Amino acid sequence: MGEEPVALPSDINREMVRAALSGARAWLLPVLALACASIVTAWLVADTPLERLAFGGSVVFSAAVAVFFGLRLAREGKRRHERLLALAGIVETTGDGVVAARLDRTITAWNSGAENLFGYTADEMIGGSVSRIVPPGDEHTLQDNLEQMLEKNGMHTYEVKRLRKDGSLVDVQITLSPLRDDKGQVVGISSIIRDISERRRLEAEREQLLAREREARADAEDARALVEEQNRHLVELDRMKDDFVASVSHELRTPLTSISGYLDLMVEEGDELPASQRQYLSVVRRNSDRLLRLVGDLLFVAQVDAGRISLELATVDLSAVIAESVDAVRPVAEDKHIELHAEVDLIEMPQADGLRLGQVLDNVLSNAVKFTPAEGSVSVRAFVVEDNAVVEIADTGMGIAPEDQARLFDRFFRTAAASHMAIPGTGLGLAIAKAIVEGHDGTISISSEPGHGTTVRLELPVRTAEAAAQRYVETLL
Amino acid sequence: MAQKILVVDDDKDIQRLLALRLGSAGYETAFASDGITAISAARQQAPDLIVLDLGLPAGDGFSVLERLQALPQLASIPVIVLTARESPETRARALEAGVERFVAKPFESEALLEAIAAALSA
């Protein structure tokens, strides 16, 4: 390479013939010249047959020597040529563009890789300037990189954009190396040019993906911060609500303390009061108790909300708790001529809050009596199934419309029928019952047929902590 | 001699109610309406027992409890908390602060008198 254009495949056969001829020329001409010179000299100089024989011998010897060296030279030439051909073949078949140029940028070699890459044929480019494939304004890249190559005095690789024949730009990686003459002087440059547009595309794609990922992460981070902020806000609101409920309940209970305290005094000292006034006082008493229960219920609901419902666990005789609640509703039931049945097995709960369970039964039983018309019946059954105490409170009341059933445990929810019939209540009873039952790891469910009655079913685990632990171990085994 | 009970409560009606109830049960009563006078009254009156409300002006019941505990001559006086701020937390906190009994408002007079008798005999 260098001063002469590199052989290209189409020329290879022609080149081989030329090489063979030049190899032959290398030894044939000197031998022929030497032989002719020897024969002429022999005939001119020799007089005797002996002399002629001597000359003839020297001629043959000279010819033999010439043939020997000539053959060696020819073999060497052929080998060198084969090496060149092999190199040319490699250069030609590589996918990369291989281009050689003089220092003045005149192109001296342009392989098929370069043809494919840039769209110019070797004929179009050889003899032309390298500047043809440099995008306008980027000419300095030629000089800059040439200088860097000379500075390194060896290979120099860089990445750059180059111009195709169709005017499009292509991302390439170029490796420059110096071409030297026999004396080692740099006379040209060879460039191996690799198309890296696919790599660039992948890099860009990756960059884009990374950017998108960063964006998504930023979005997620923003969302998380927002949720955190909202949570803080909610926690703050929750705390404010708790404070509010606590202070309202305090503010309500203080006057209620005076009302009920002085009422008690009045009733105790009120023997000489007329019967009508004593009855008025009992109405005041009943309503102050009701108000107090309502305040207690509100506070309890607030505690459930704050996840602070605390149960005072002890061994509880569930049958006694049920009996007390049944006794509590008995006067109202009797007033309405409602029959009260109780079929209660003796059930002991090793870990329960008797007061809270009493509250559940009070709420459920008072509902049953409230919503059952005169002459109806309310029955309570309690029994144990496996590890659960089951309490069923069934009434023959008005029942609950299907659309209302799902919302029965929502706080402050009252059925349309209850409101319509002006049956008193706050809509907190079942919400509180549910919270207490769930606080005992139990369940509460309601089945009802409008017009026929309602059954509330409680299931409460009766196993002790040890039994629960035992069961846990059994499950593990 | 009758035993003396200091009632700390900012509600005058409740003070009078307690005066009536405790008086008829045979106790002598003294009153304070806020956290600051509670301490000076406790010093001057040297009561046998204190009935303490938690929601008080000028330092709530818990800070009164703290100061009582910090003063050697007052630390041994038994305290009953009588409060409308009834919750599992306040109950636990009060008992932790060394209170003998916790009674929620509104109260039944028998329950309060029972708690007082128990705290005095302890």
Side-chain angles (χ1 to χ4, degrees):
Chain A
M1 284 191 282
E3 297 292 304
E4 291 294 319
V6 169
L8 297 173
S10 49
D11 304 328
I12 284 178
N13 287 335
R14 189 155 31 95
E15 277 298 314
M16 280 177 82
V17 174
R18 210 166 68 195
L21 283 175
S22 82
R25 265 205 306 275
W27 57 270
L28 203 60
L29 286 176
V31 169
L32 281 176
L34 193 66
C36 288
S38 304
I39 291 162
V40 170
T41 312
W43 282 113
L44 291 175
V45 177
D47 296 329
T48 65
L50 193 66
E51 279 172 339
R52 282 188 188 143
L53 191 66
F55 273 110
S58 70
V59 167
V60 170
F61 178 72
S62 304
V65 168
V67 167
F68 176 73
F69 285 106
L71 277 174
R72 264 184 68 168
L73 275 170
R75 259 205 306 277
E76 202 166 301
K78 197 179 165 198
R79 267 207 301 273
R80 215 166 60 204
H81 200 78
E82 275 170 357
R83 269 206 307 275
L84 268 177
L85 279 179
L87 276 174
I90 290 169
V91 166
E92 196 44 38
T93 50
T94 179
D96 293 339
V98 179
V99 174
R102 295 199 195 100
L103 290 176
D104 68 1
R105 299 179 188 166
T106 307
I107 295 170
T108 54
W110 185 268
N111 76 343
S112 63
E115 287 183 335
N116 293 335
L117 182 52
F118 293 107
Y120 292 109
T121 62
D123 288 345
E124 283 174 286
M125 291 306 279
I126 290 173
S129 169
V130 174
S131 319
R132 213 163 161 187
I133 56 163
V134 178
D138 276 5
E139 287 83 2
H140 63 94
T141 57
L142 289 175
Q143 191 59 32
D144 292 352
N145 287 293
L146 173 65
E147 279 169 15
Q148 288 189 49
M149 180 202 78
L150 292 173
E151 223 167 82
K152 289 184 193 166
N153 199 23
M155 277 205 310
H156 168 60
T157 301
Y158 61 104
E159 288 177 6
V160 76
K161 277 191 194 307
R162 287 292 177 246
L163 193 61
R164 288 194 175 109
K165 187 178 182 180
D166 63 10
S168 61
L169 291 174
V170 58
D171 285 302
V172 292
Q173 182 197 61
I174 299 179
T175 301
L176 295 182
S177 22
L179 293 172
R180 300 170 194 280
D181 63 8
D182 300 343
K183 292 163 208 148
Q185 198 69 32
V186 177
V187 292
I189 315 139
S190 83
S191 334
I192 298 170
I193 306 168
R194 177 162 290 183
D195 183 352
I196 56 167
S197 46
E198 181 62 14
R199 195 183 89 199
R200 277 287 157 84
R201 195 182 61 73
L202 290 173
E203 278 171 2
E205 225 167 68
R206 188 169 157 268
E207 194 47 50
Q208 221 171 2
L209 283 175
L210 283 174
R212 236 178 278 160
E213 194 204 339
R214 273 195 299 272
E215 224 168 89
R217 268 178 202 277
D219 284 353
E221 182 57 30
D222 284 354
R224 198 186 57 78
L226 188 69
V227 167
E228 232 170 55
E229 174 61 34
Q230 280 173 343
N231 274 346
R232 267 199 299 278
H233 189 60
L234 284 176
V235 167
E236 174 64 9
L237 276 180
D238 211 41
R239 195 189 58 75
M240 279 166 65
K241 190 193 73 187
D242 287 354
D243 288 355
F244 174 75
V245 170
S247 86
V248 164
S249 96
H250 174 247
E251 293 307 321
L252 290 174
R253 277 172 165 172
T254 301
L256 274 171
T257 303
S258 286
I259 291 171
S260 69
Y262 285 97
L263 253 178
D264 284 347
L265 282 173
M266 227 170 149
V267 171
E268 284 166 27
E269 298 167 7
D271 292 344
E272 61 270 30
L273 284 175
S276 62
Q277 287 186 16
R278 281 214 301 278
Q279 204 218 323
Y280 302 157
L281 283 178
S282 78
V283 173
V284 176
R285 164 97 270 168
R286 201 169 66 236
N287 281 283
S288 104
D289 286 351
R290 195 168 136 196
L291 195 51
L292 185 60
R293 269 200 307 278
L294 177 58
V295 172
D297 283 355
L298 281 174
L299 193 64
F300 183 78
V301 164
Q303 284 171 354
V304 169
D305 267 1
R308 284 200 310 242
I309 149 170
S310 62
L311 300 173
E312 287 176 24
L313 300 178
T315 301
V316 170
D317 178 355
L318 186 63
S319 6
V321 172
I322 294 170
E324 259 178 50
S325 293
V326 169
D327 283 344
V329 293
R330 197 177 297 280
V332 187
E334 278 171 1
D335 278 356
K336 285 177 81 176
H337 300 286
I338 292 172
E339 266 188 71
L340 266 180
H341 302 285
E343 252 185 76
V344 177
D345 291 351
L346 194 64
I347 303 170
E348 196 168 81
M349 297 191 59
Q351 298 242 300
D353 185 327
L355 277 179
R356 291 294 183 200
L357 286 182
Q359 203 178 349
V360 172
L361 288 157
D362 285 348
N363 289 351
V364 174
L365 272 168
S366 82
N367 277 346
V369 171
K370 264 195 288 189
F371 291 96
T372 299
E375 315 299 336
S377 72
V378 172
S379 59
V380 184
R381 295 202 311 139
F383 47 93
V384 174
V385 177
E386 290 178 357
D387 283 341
N388 285 324
V390 178
V391 185
E392 282 180 349
I393 299 102
D395 64 51
T396 57
M398 57 202 277
I400 303 157
E403 65 268 23
D404 287 340
Q405 290 187 15
R407 298 190 55 201
L408 288 173
F409 296 106
D410 292 355
R411 66 190 49 161
F412 299 113
F413 175 76
R414 304 211 64 215
T415 61
S419 306
H420 183 68
M421 293 169 70
I423 293 173
T426 56
L428 285 173
L430 283 178
I432 288 171
K434 184 168 188 263
I436 294 170
V437 168
E438 286 177 355
H440 284 83
D441 295 327
T443 58
I444 179 168
S445 58
I446 293 182
S447 58
S448 180
E449 205 181 320
H452 288 90
T454 300
T455 300
V456 178
R457 182 182 167 96
L458 310 178
E459 286 191 34
L460 297 160
V462 284
R463 56 177 188 273
T464 57
E466 297 93 87
Q470 180 66 35
R471 196 185 172 83
Y472 177 68
V473 170
E474 277 168 13
T475 315
L476 285 182
L477 293 174
Chain B
M1 204 178 98
Q3 284 175 304
K4 191 190 274 181
I5 295 175
L6 172 64
V7 173
V8 186
D9 198 308
D10 60 329
D11 190 304
K12 294 288 177 201
D13 292 334
I14 291 174
Q15 283 188 11
R16 274 202 15 234
L17 181 64
L18 286 169
L20 284 165
R21 287 294 186 195
L22 298 179
S24 55
Y27 296 110
E28 202 182 311
T29 46
F31 296 92
S33 297
D34 60 62
I36 294 166
T37 52
I39 301 296
S40 55
R43 275 216 193 88
Q44 286 161 23
Q45 308 280 340
D48 297 290
L49 181 137
I50 298 173
V51 173
L52 179 66
D53 186 14
L54 289 179
L56 290 173
D60 72 359
F62 285 112
S63 69
V64 172
L65 270 176
E66 250 173 55
R67 275 181 291 159
L68 286 174
Q69 299 285 350
L71 295 168
Q73 72 272 35
L74 303 181
S76 58
I77 303 174
V79 177
I80 286 179
V81 160
L82 179 65
T83 184
R85 288 191 185 172
E86 210 264 316
S87 74
E89 289 86 22
T90 43
R91 188 181 281 265
R93 199 177 150 199
L95 294 175
E96 215 167 273
V99 161
E100 291 291 328
R101 294 292 178 103
F102 189 102
V103 180
K105 284 181 186 170
F107 58 92
E108 307 239 338
S109 58
E110 293 80 23
L112 178 66
L113 290 172
E114 204 181 287
I116 288 171
L120 281 171
S121 64

